[in-house]
């Protein structure tokens, strides 16, 4: 099974995601956004073919929908879906060093 695999050197799981993204793009009406494809593959690198697709990236708790843009090529999917909730700093609580 050479062809596309030789082009990217992808294993089976990332290949399945690429195929699903292709299918979603094919099945969507002209000028509309394709169906989101959900994945847990945070270690996958964004390829040029994925641009324009919508990927639901799992962050360990929920799935964040991200539209893949051209400037994201070469980044990991995990970089596009934050895994923690940014801390909002308020008053120091009991037990803080200078409370």
């Amino acid at each position: 099974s050479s062809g596309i695999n030789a082009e990217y050197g992808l294993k089976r799981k990332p290949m399945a995601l690429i195929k699903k993204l292709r299918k979603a793009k094919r099945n969507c009406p002209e000028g509309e956004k394709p169906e989101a494809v959900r994945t847990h593959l945070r270690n996958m690198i964004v390829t040029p073919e994925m641009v324009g697709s919508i990927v639901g990236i799992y962050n360990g708790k929920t799935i964040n929908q991200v539209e893949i843009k051209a400037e994201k090529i070469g980044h990991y999917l995990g970089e596009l879906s934050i895994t923690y909730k940014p801390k909002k700093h308020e008053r120091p609580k009991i037990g803080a060093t200078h409370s």
Side-chain angles (χ1 to χ4, degrees):
S1 69
S2 63
I4 190 72
N5 279 22
E7 195 180 320
Y8 288 136
L10 294 177
K11 298 281 186 285
R12 183 177 285 127
K13 276 183 175 173
M15 212 48 237
L17 176 61
I18 291 258
K19 285 188 176 138
K20 281 182 183 168
L21 290 170
R22 274 194 206 135
K23 188 176 167 196
K25 267 188 178 173
R26 265 203 311 271
N27 295 346
C28 89
E30 197 59 45
E32 284 188 35
K33 289 185 177 169
E35 193 72 27
V37 179
R38 297 190 301 196
T39 182
H40 282 223
L41 299 175
R42 297 175 55 82
N43 63 348
M44 183 166 171
I45 292 173
V46 176
T47 60
E49 191 184 347
M50 294 162 72
V51 172
S53 301
I54 295 178
V55 185
I57 307 167
Y58 189 65
N59 66 5
K61 186 176 179 183
T62 55
I63 288 188
N64 295 333
Q65 285 200 1
V66 177
E67 189 176 348
I68 306 291
K69 300 201 166 64
E71 55 264 29
K72 303 276 198 293
I73 294 172
H75 288 273
Y76 286 98
L77 288 181
E79 295 178 60
L80 314 178
S81 172
I82 192 166
T83 56
Y84 58 89
K85 196 167 155 217
K87 182 82 178 92
K88 295 184 172 59
H89 293 280
E90 304 134 359
R91 305 253 341 111
K93 298 287 192 280
I94 294 169
T97 312
H98 301 294
S99 58

